[in-house]
Structures are given as C-alpha cells and as structure tokens.
Amino acid sequence: MKIGKRLLTLVACLSVVFLSAGCDNDQQKEARHIKRGNALMEEGELDKARVEYKNALKLQPTHAEPYYRLGLVDEQKGDLRSAFSNYMAAEQQNARYYPAALKVAQYYLAAGQHEEAQKRISAALADDPKNAEAHAIAAALLLRQKKFDEAEIEARQALDLDPTNVSACSALMGAYSAQNQFDKAISTINEGIGRNPDNLALALLRVMLYEKAQDIPKVAESYTAVFKLKPDTAEFRADLASIYVNAKMLDEAEAFLRDSVKERPKNWDFKRLLVVFLNKNRSSDVAEAEIKKLIEDYPSNDDLYFWLADLYASNDSMEKAVELLNKIVERRENNPPGLNARTFLARIDIKRGNQDSAKRLITTVLSKEPDNRSALLVKANLAFINGYYEDAVSDLRSILRNAPNDREAMLLLGETYFAQNHADLAIDTIKKLIDLDPGNSAARVRLAQIVSYSGDKKQAMDIISLVTKTAPKYAIGWEAAAR
C-alpha cells in the first residue's frame, strides 16, 4: 500500500510538472507562430501569415497580439473592416496593448470620431510619454483640427523619439502642405524617404505633392521610386498615364506605357493598359491593330480574343463581337474560354433585350461550372431585372462566399436589398464596398442616395460633400449634391 501511495504521489507530481510545462509550451508555440507569421508578412505571403497568426490565437485566445497581427494582414489585403474588428478585439483583450489601441485610434480619426481617437492617444501617452506613434497620431489629429503649429510640435517630438516614424513624417508634411509651405513639405518627405527607402506610402505622398504643384516632370520622376517598390502593379502605371492624359500629354503617356510593356514583357496587365489607352485616346482602329499584333505573337493566348471582343462591344460593334465570341465557343466548346464566351454572349443578349437566349447560355455554363462567378453574376442580374430579388440575393451570396471582396457582386447585392426595402442592409453592404474601394465615387453617391431615402439627410449631405471635395471633377457628385 505504501508503494502504491508513493507511486500515486509521484504520478500526481509529474502531472503537475507536465501540465506546467504544457502551459509554457503553449506560450513558446504562440511566439514561434507569431515569429513565422511576421517573417511571412515581410515576404508578402499574407495568406500563410494569417494561418500562423490564427494558430497562435488558438493557443492563446485571450492574448492581444495575435488579433493585432491578423489586423495587419487584413489591412495589407485592403479589408479595412476586418482589420478594424481585429484591432478592436486585441484592444478588448488588453486595453494597454498600444500597438492595437493606436491602430483603433487611427481608424476613429479617419472616421472623424476625434474624441475616441483622443481617448486612446491620451491613454498611451499617460503610460508612456515617449511613445512615438502616439505623438504621431496626436499630430495627425491636430492636423485634422487645423491646429498646424501644435501638429508640427507633436510630429517633431515623434520624429525625435523615432526618426523613422512614417506617421509623424506624414503629419509634418501635411501641416506644411496645408499652409502652402511646399519647400518644407517636400524636404520633410524626402528626409522620410531617406530614412524609409522601402516605404510605399511616403513615395506616393511625394507624388501627390508634386501633382498638387502641377510639376509633371517631378511627378514622373517620383513615380520611379514607386515602380521600383511595385514593379508589376498596373494601378500605379495607370495613375501616371492618367496624369499625362489630364495634362494633354498624350504622346508622353503612350511612350510611357509602351516603355512599361518593354520593361516588363511578361506583364499582361501593362499590355492591357496600353490597349485601353489607345482605344480611349487614339482610336478603336489603333487599339484593334495593337491587339491583332499581340494575337499574331501569342496566338494561343485566349485572353487576347476576349480583349478584341470587349473592344468591339465597347464601340458598339456588336455583330463583330458576337461573331468572334461564337468562334471561341466553337473552338473551345466547354473548356473555360468557351464557357466565358457564352457568358459574354449572354451579357450582350441582355443588353439587346434577348433574355431567353441569355438564360439558355447561362444555364449551359452553370451546368458545367455551378460556381462560375461571371455566370452567377449574369444570372443575378437577370433575376434583379425581373424582380426575383430572393433569387438574386441567393446567387450573389454564393459569389461572395467564394470571393468575399467581389465588388460587382457587392454593389448589386446592395441594390437588391434596397429594392426589397431593406435600406439598412443596403447601406451596410455599400459601406463594405467603399471600405474595399475608398475611391469609388459612384458607390459613395449611391450610399448618400440610400441614406437620404432612409431619412438621414445630414449624413447623406456629409457623404456627398466628401465626394465633391475628393473628386471635384466627378459631375454626378455635384448633381447629387444639388438634388
């Protein structure tokens, strides 16, 4: 019996030891997952980083840092709503985890909720008066309040504490720019870029400063740093081409786009940008010739035939588009290009009022690929047009389950909710779209219209005022404001 009791005591003691070791191991495992996630973030492997952070969260669900890291991933992917939710979750776990709390402050600042932002800034500085990021966000808040001298003091204090602080550099530049002190503003940004040569935000701020000064050569020169950081991102190339076009420098725009194609010959987005530019600013014939030359060089690239069909359709040459698409159907049958061609034909049929033909085409596509996003979107459009709103909602939700950030599906879903008299759901859906695409002026105008319909005229006018302020050339925004 004594031996038995000793054995039980030993087992009990060992159990305590192992349990304690297990707790330690959970913390160590959490740290390893976060470390691996951070490394993956630096490499741009956002989805893999997310997996690591979620694994850390499973081990320590009451820790703030995994939520914060997940917020950073969401922010990088452009899902600001989810990012904010994760930062809030981190703050709820630990209100004094200031990396997350200050992120929340930034979001409140962007939303104009200054008191909420100030509350978090004050708490951070009370705990740590030398928190550079807190001083930087304080500077940004003062800038919003047009207290430029105080903003400069806070921003400089932040930079004294952390010369590489991007938020402080941005706020200081903003204070100078708001007071039309261009030389100081550009000097501040150049110093910031010197300390943070790989920071895209600062590189883009320099572009914006020169654009505001209407110095096109300096704009183009500044974009060189952007292209170095993002060599294959078409969005930035399109922005510079658009600046040239607005300045009526069409030859410079075309030369730039052609140089971009030569520089990155495997980037098809750049080739597409050139074709779109030629169609819009030269002629459809010139754009057609460019596509046909590409088809000669790359005859097996199915996308080029769709480019050509899209060109014909956009210039009301519907018969040419239909003829080309039918050839794709004959050649590629039930392979993805053949199914995509049928979907394209269905869209043309809807435009022509041939709904029965469109339905037959979409039915064929969905019988082969039930989750085909383009076909489901056309099917939802047909349902919406005919007032079958529940069917439209079902198809759109199917799209969004597989692609939560699908902007076309989100916009149509918002319109469908509004048609069903669910203004609250419509508003929430279009707000999500704007979170994903802050520059979408059309979505903001539509949001204002629905908000006005729901009875909040003041909020509607605030939304429209933001459109007219940020996109003064968007005529529909002014028309909506007048209404």
Side-chain angles (χ1 to χ4, degrees), residues 26 30 69-70 187 217 237 318 361 428 444 452 469:
D26 279 351
E30 178 202 26
R69 298 290 173 183
L70 285 168
S187 175
R237 309 266 174 166
M318 292 300 180
L361 287 163
D428 186 59
R444 287 188 186 276
S452 177
K469 181 179 179 181

Side-chain angles (χ1 to χ4, degrees), residues 177-323:
S177 179
Q179 298 174 90
N180 294 315
Q181 298 177 13
F182 177 78
D183 290 342
K184 285 186 175 182
I186 201 68
S187 175
T188 298
I189 282 297
N190 284 335
E191 288 175 11
I193 291 172
R195 298 188 188 107
N196 302 275
D198 296 329
N199 188 275
L200 179 62
L202 293 179
L204 289 171
L205 279 174
R206 181 165 61 185
V207 168
M208 290 169 61
L209 276 174
Y210 281 123
E211 189 178 359
K212 182 181 177 182
Q214 298 183 333
D215 189 338
I216 304 300
K218 283 291 187 181
V219 168
E221 181 184 325
S222 296
Y223 261 117
T224 302
V226 175
F227 300 150
K228 185 177 179 182
L229 294 171
K230 296 288 182 181
D232 286 306
T233 302
E235 175 190 352
F236 300 127
R237 309 266 174 166
D239 287 343
L240 179 53
S242 178
I243 289 169
Y244 279 132
V245 169
N246 291 336
K248 303 188 185 306
M249 300 169 66
L250 297 184
D251 291 342
E252 288 81 355
E254 182 175 347
F256 161 68
L257 290 172
R258 290 192 181 280
D259 286 343
S260 295
V261 170
K262 289 178 185 176
E263 178 190 334
R264 315 291 289 187
K266 294 182 180 180
N267 189 311
W268 286 91
D269 289 337
F270 292 0
K271 294 180 177 68
R272 182 67 171 154
L273 278 178
L274 175 60
V275 168
V276 171
F277 166 83
L278 293 173
N279 179 47
K280 189 174 180 180
N281 298 285
R282 300 304 191 192
S283 72
S284 59
D285 290 339
V286 174
E288 182 180 359
E290 187 71 26
I291 297 173
K292 287 184 173 179
K293 182 179 180 301
L294 288 169
I295 289 174
E296 288 178 13
D297 294 338
Y298 306 94
S300 62
N301 188 324
D302 290 303
D303 287 343
L304 294 172
Y305 299 94
F306 286 101
W307 290 11
L308 190 55
D310 190 50
L311 178 71
Y312 290 146
S314 66
N315 289 287
D316 292 323
S317 299
M318 292 300 180
E319 295 304 328
K320 284 186 174 182
V322 169
E323 181 183 357

